[in-house]
Amino acid sequence: MVDRIADIWGTRTPFARDTRWPVRVDQVLAAGVTEQSVDTWVQSACVLCSNGCGIDIAVKDGSMVGVRGRAVDIVNHGRLGPKGLFASWQGMNNKDRLTRPLIREHGELVETDWNTAMERIVSRSRALLDDKGPLSHGFYTSGQLFLEEYYAQAIVGKAGIGTPHMDGNTRLCTATAAAAMKESFGSDGQPGSYVDIDECDAMFLFGHNMAETQTVLWMRVLDRLAGPNPPRLVCVDPRNTEVARRAEVHLPVRPGTNLALMHGLVRELFVHGWIEQDYIDAHTLNVEELRSTVEPWTPEAVAQTCGVDAADVRRAAEIFGTSERVLSTVLQGFYQSSQATASACGVNNLHLLRGLLGKPGCGVLQMNGQPTAQNNRECGADGDLSGFRNWENPRHIQELAELWNVDPSIIPHWAPPTHAMQIFRYVEQGSIEFLWISATNPAVSMPQLSRIRNILSTPGLFLVVQDMYLTETAQYADVVLPAAGWGEKTGTFTNVNRTVHLSEKAVEPPGQARSDLDTFLDYSRRMGFTQLDGSPLLTWEGPEDAFNAWRECSRGRPCDYTGITYDRLRGGSGIPWPCNDEHPDGTVRLYRDGIFPTEAEYSETYGHDLLTGATVGPQAYRSMAPAGRAIFKTAPYHPAHETPDAQYPYRYTTGRTVYHFHTRTKTARAAQLNDAAPEAWVEMSVNDAAAQGLDEGAIVKVESRRGHITAALRISGVRDGSVFAPFHYGYWDRGGIPDGRYRAANELTLTEWDPVSKQPVLKNAAVRVTKISDGTGISPAPTTTASRPAKRGRTLPTAGGPNAQATETIAAVEPPSVATKEERA
């Protein structure tokens, strides 16, 4: 037995480059339950990060009683992280679950039946459509639903109502991942694969605290590092994370300066000739513009702007420029910071300069943060069009109109799709009067929370919230719909490296809770949405019908699912798209042939100016004649709009802890996880704390120009001049509202977004710190990972204990196969 709270990544199984990651099956069962007493195991995949680990659900007496990793799955080879082990099933089995619809009567939410709740929604929706038209409606969804549910919502919104006001919380999480891949490669879709960890010589992690955000993926890295010929590791992160501790080079950049660093790394490749000119000439455009943009960024210039050593910039560039195989991963440290898309494109540029795409150990993973964020983007429940189609391309609009049998004029394409920040602005201004929020909690996760609370309270707004729990957001709703969740419904979802999994229904949802798919189908029927021939807009009877409809929508597109069926997904491993007649077993990595989906009639976008966000447009794009070539995209570096000054001297940044996910609606209901990180905290460096006379555990007030939070101080390895706070903590376990006791990290963040991806800038703000009182002991921050105390000389308690035990079986079996010989070549 292993304590998987204290020992987060479990037992090492070292392996060498170009060999397969060994199998290790992780399992946990409820107290008193044995393997022999489990009634059945039901196939699924984990939904508590973006890794997409294959998982089996243990069922006994109609309840979920534990989980185990699937040894046959190509993603995790049997392993599970702490959140998957403890919160996946315990986060579903809780007395707080919503079991009946709620409606607002005389200012209070009261229980009702489904017909009453849906008729109230439909009555308001019809009235607004008749009176004010489709622009009165907005939808804000998640990275937590299943593919089938996103596709239903996309069709209802775009072909039933005809509103462009649709987005998801993926806008906060990884919209920049999609934007960067579209700008560089012509379409969304990860070029690389997790298998590249097994085969690389060097790994670069750009703003990616993999050890806490994708724990199983980090296990894979740790096992390579423990084996023969380990990869060289470079970490870009302002905190002293577990990744940084393992790295050969750690670049602790000042928050907001990522693009300056990327310019310096790219410049070093040019200066030293670490580029593949033949590949550049044959497969790319705009290299000279890139060269001229980065020319001023010497290592010394980078050092001055970013606060890192010039020698470390040179070492990092040398590792990238001289290693045979390089894998890069990128996450919120870049996506939620200043000039996000330009910075993420800088990573793509490094790989294009060396031709390090489509080959074993060579790739880019512009990571997601959520388990089904990829499906939201694929299906079009956010600002994209279904099947990675281009809203500026009339032919793509016509394709969707024919698929859905509707008039093309109803599908919004007269202007860019509305992003989440603008949706909430339209609510604030009063033009959106009907807002449907599903499986997300903007009252905690959006920036500048005082403003968001005011928006959710806007007079005249009709707010529908669809969720499993009465979240902070749900408490503002006019109608609350109880949702079935993971293990209580059937559907598919796709992880970061394009691997599609099937999650089977294991148990019945509590009370009257329904799947999101059933709710969207019910709404569509009640609204009377129809096709051109008068038949219902959505005729599906269940999730498999929806999936088969999606397969047709994806046909011939980059995300082609036509070779994937429910039956193919049952019993074995997930399958990476594209999967079709040409690639019947799926595709491990993209762009082997150096041909990219940039041809004007096929591409998902015509591109943007990365500084201003202005669209390139079809005429200018066609004149570039990309013809299947990737595009070097860049922009001049500009400092963040809000930087420290005499009044607010620290840079503020937010992030995750390994023990929680999003706003804790599931993880805080797993005692093992919540005990490890029960309360909010803030972090400062040893030097900064000493300068202000602050000790570990002191109660401090952190204040920006927008609000403040109060929390205990952890003196950690964050860089000097920076303050860190985890963004998970809201108020649902404190009565649902702040009531003057503010702890949500986004009380301090600002309303600003990247000009291209429209992703909020959640990691750049200026703050000040003042002491409120001495603490009563150490802060409640975890004593593991990036939040571990920086000061030595005393023993601090370690999270974990008897309830955190899990079994690990290191299996003497062949690990799952992931590629054909041709794909490995």
Side-chain angles (χ1 to χ4, degrees):
M1 304 289 284
V2 177
D3 185 335
R4 289 297 303 279
I5 296 297
D7 188 358
I8 296 164
W9 307 285
T11 304
R12 298 280 57 76
T13 54
F15 69 113
R17 197 189 84 166
D18 294 328
T19 63
R20 291 299 169 216
W21 191 25
V23 167
R24 188 193 85 196
V25 177
D26 297 348
Q27 175 179 298
V28 68
L29 294 171
V33 177
T34 65
E35 284 192 70
Q36 293 70 31
S37 65
V38 172
D39 295 334
T40 186
W41 293 90
V42 179
Q43 177 180 343
S44 183
C46 185
V47 292
L48 286 169
C49 79
S50 63
N51 210 53
C53 297
I55 196 171
D56 288 328
I57 305 169
V59 179
K60 180 176 172 58
D61 300 329
S63 296
M64 290 186 273
V65 294
V67 290
R68 71 181 177 198
R70 290 179 60 79
V72 299
D73 199 87
I74 61 174
V75 169
N76 56 317
H77 296 211
R79 292 163 184 78
L80 295 172
K83 291 190 287 287
L85 282 168
F86 300 115
S88 57
W89 55 287
Q90 292 183 106
M92 305 300 298
N93 300 338
N94 193 278
K95 61 180 177 57
D96 296 340
R97 286 288 299 276
L98 294 169
T99 59
R100 295 187 63 188
L102 306 174
I103 57 173
R104 191 166 295 279
E105 295 284 358
H106 308 295
E108 301 292 329
L109 287 171
V110 298
E111 289 189 342
T112 190
D113 59 85
W114 269 95
N115 186 62
T116 300
M118 291 303 296
E119 283 303 311
R120 185 164 292 196
I121 293 170
V122 167
S123 174
R124 184 60 176 153
S125 183
R126 281 182 180 147
L128 283 170
L129 288 175
D130 290 344
D131 185 36
K132 298 190 175 180
L135 297 183
S136 63
H137 282 53
F139 292 85
Y140 184 58
T141 187
S142 176
Q144 303 286 305
L145 306 187
F146 286 172
L147 177 153
E148 296 81 357
E149 295 164 335
Y150 291 126
Y151 191 43
Q153 189 176 36
I155 296 175
V156 166
K158 290 178 167 65
I161 295 171
T163 179
H165 305 329
M166 301 185 72
D167 205 357
N169 67 6
T170 50
R171 186 66 56 187
L172 314 182
C173 182
T174 49
T176 300
M181 289 184 287
K182 291 181 201 177
E183 296 295 329
S184 297
F185 310 132
S187 174
D188 196 347
Q190 303 291 345
S193 168
Y194 296 163
V195 185
D196 291 322
I197 294 173
D198 308 349
E199 299 170 338
C200 67
D201 298 312
M203 280 191 67
F204 280 65
L205 290 89
F206 294 97
H208 182 195
N209 183 9
M210 184 191 290
E212 299 193 59
T213 56
Q214 284 86 23
T215 52
V216 172
L217 204 59
W218 182 242
M219 295 174 203
R220 198 167 191 154
V221 175
L222 288 176
D223 287 348
R224 270 298 315 273
L225 293 174
N229 47 51
R232 304 174 76 181
L233 209 61
V234 176
C235 171
V236 179
D237 198 304
R239 300 171 72 209
N240 188 27
T241 65
E242 193 69 21
V243 177
R245 295 184 185 105
R246 294 277 184 163
E248 179 178 340
V249 179
H250 175 208
L251 295 164
V253 294
R254 293 188 180 104
T257 65
N258 296 325
L259 185 57
L261 173 67
M262 296 313 301
H263 283 347
L265 294 176
V266 168
R267 181 185 182 277
E268 286 294 285
L269 264 61
F270 281 124
V271 167
H272 294 280
W274 294 326
I275 62 175
E276 294 295 326
Q277 193 63 52
D278 289 345
Y279 184 93
I280 293 168
D281 292 342
H283 300 294
T284 70
L285 292 173
N286 292 355
V287 69
E288 292 308 318
E289 179 185 343
L290 176 67
R291 190 193 300 268
S292 63
T293 301
V294 304
E295 177 54 33
W297 288 96
T298 64
E300 288 70 25
V302 172
Q304 182 175 6
T305 297
C306 300
V308 296
D309 290 339
D312 286 340
V313 176
R314 290 188 172 92
R315 286 175 63 209
E318 179 269 331
I319 292 171
F320 197 100
T322 61
S323 297
E324 180 186 357
R325 305 175 184 180
V326 182
L327 172 66
S328 294
T329 69
V330 195
L331 198 55
Q332 271 97 328
F334 271 39
Y335 301 159
Q336 293 178 342
S337 194
S338 181
Q339 296 189 277
T341 303
S343 301
C345 283
V347 180
N348 298 340
N349 292 339
L350 287 172
H351 282 263
L352 289 169
L353 285 171
R354 291 209 55 216
L356 297 180
L357 292 171
K359 298 181 288 188
C362 303
V364 176
L365 291 171
Q366 298 276 358
M367 301 292 294
N368 300 334
Q370 298 186 77
T372 70
Q374 193 66 49
N375 300 118
N376 194 337
R377 304 194 316 244
E378 294 165 2
C379 295
D382 64 352
D384 297 315
L385 287 185
S386 305
F388 291 164
R389 288 176 171 86
N390 184 351
W391 70 269
E392 291 188 275
N393 189 329
R395 178 180 155 194
H396 289 189
I397 304 299
Q398 184 63 38
E399 288 174 2
L400 289 178
E402 292 172 1
L403 274 166
W404 300 337
N405 193 24
V406 297
D407 191 312
S409 64
I410 195 173
I411 300 173
H413 61 282
W414 56 86
T418 313
H419 61 91
M421 299 295 286
Q422 192 64 52
I423 287 174
F424 280 86
R425 176 62 173 152
Y426 287 154
V427 174
E428 189 175 41
Q429 293 174 326
S431 63
I432 290 180
E433 298 182 50
F434 179 102
L435 181 63
W436 191 322
I437 297 174
S438 51
T440 188
N441 193 12
V444 178
S445 59
M446 289 285 278
Q448 198 174 343
L449 288 181
S450 60
R451 174 175 174 262
I452 296 300
R453 288 190 290 268
N454 289 336
I455 290 172
L456 294 173
S457 304
T458 299
L461 171 66
F462 188 85
L463 178 63
V464 180
V465 173
Q466 187 170 313
D467 216 317
M468 297 191 304
Y469 290 100
L470 191 66
T471 63
E472 293 88 339
T473 301
Q475 297 191 45
Y476 291 92
D478 295 282
V479 178
V480 180
L481 301 177
W486 177 85
E488 299 168 350
K489 59 185 180 180
T490 294
T492 55
F493 52 94
T494 306
N495 73 347
V496 171
N497 74 340
R498 300 170 282 101
T499 301
V500 184
H501 285 101
L502 175 66
S503 180
E504 300 269 25
K505 182 177 180 179
V507 299
E508 293 297 324
Q512 298 176 23
R514 292 183 182 177
S515 75
D516 300 278
L517 177 62
D518 286 344
T519 299
F520 295 141
L521 293 177
D522 187 18
Y523 171 72
S524 182
R525 285 190 294 265
R526 290 174 186 261
M527 290 295 291
F529 296 139
T530 61
Q531 301 178 34
L532 287 174
D533 59 9
S535 61
L537 179 64
L538 296 176
T539 59
W540 314 329
E541 294 297 324
E544 192 163 8
D545 291 343
F547 184 78
N548 288 332
W550 163 250
R551 291 170 63 208
E552 284 306 308
C553 183
S554 73
R555 185 181 295 276
R557 298 302 300 160
C559 53
D560 195 329
Y561 279 64
T562 52
I564 303 175
T565 65
Y566 273 27
D567 284 342
R568 285 200 66 189
L569 293 172
R570 288 189 170 108
S573 175
I575 300 172
W577 63 251
C579 180
N580 48 26
D581 291 342
E582 184 180 356
H583 305 284
D585 296 319
T587 307
V588 173
R589 53 182 67 85
L590 304 180
Y591 313 135
R592 289 182 65 242
D593 54 6
I595 297 175
F596 299 85
T598 53
E599 196 274 323
E601 287 305 314
Y602 189 73
S603 66
E604 189 181 358
T605 183
Y606 294 136
H608 299 80
D609 181 296
L610 299 193
L611 184 63
T612 67
T615 181
V616 171
Q619 184 174 351
Y621 186 82
R622 287 188 173 93
S623 70
M624 291 166 53
R629 290 175 288 177
I631 304 170
F632 286 111
K633 298 298 289 280
T634 191
Y637 167 76
H638 286 270
H641 291 147
E642 183 169 285
T643 56
D645 56 24
Q647 190 175 9
Y648 296 93
Y650 296 105
R651 293 176 185 261
Y652 179 69
T653 187
T654 67
R656 301 175 186 264
T657 178
V658 70
Y659 300 113
H660 284 303
F661 189 58
H662 284 197
T663 60
R664 301 166 55 248
T665 50
K666 290 182 182 179
T667 52
R669 291 177 167 97
Q672 300 91 337
L673 298 170
N674 200 53
D675 290 348
E679 182 55 86
W681 72 92
V682 296
E683 297 178 23
M684 296 179 72
S685 72
V686 172
N687 293 333
D688 289 339
Q692 290 205 212
L694 298 172
D695 292 324
E696 167 71 26
I699 306 304
V700 297
K701 179 180 180 181
V702 184
E703 188 176 8
S704 77
R705 290 175 172 86
R706 290 154 295 280
H708 73 271
I709 58 174
T710 302
L713 176 66
R714 165 55 47 85
I715 300 174
S716 75
V718 70
R719 68 164 291 135
D720 290 346
S722 295
V723 173
F724 170 85
F727 76 84
H728 309 287
Y729 297 87
Y731 309 102
W732 62 259
D733 50 351
R734 288 185 171 184
I737 56 175
D739 194 26
R741 298 171 298 166
Y742 297 101
R743 66 173 181 177
N746 283 318
E747 303 287 354
L748 280 60
T749 49
L750 65 161
T751 300
E752 180 186 339
W753 54 85
D754 180 76
V756 180
S757 69
K758 314 302 183 186
Q759 184 158 351
V761 180
L762 296 171
K763 292 187 181 291
N764 296 332
V767 298
R768 61 190 175 208
V769 179
T770 55
K771 182 177 178 179
I772 301 298
S773 66
D774 292 328
T776 58
I778 67 166
S779 83
T783 55
T784 57
T785 67
S787 296
R788 70 179 61 176
K791 286 190 173 182
R792 303 303 182 202
R794 56 176 170 162
T795 302
L796 299 179
T798 300
N803 292 330
Q805 301 296 310
T807 60
E808 296 179 341
T809 304
I810 299 173
V813 297
E814 182 70 19
S817 175
V818 294
T820 65
K821 289 181 180 179
E822 178 185 1
E823 287 169 326
R824 291 177 188 170

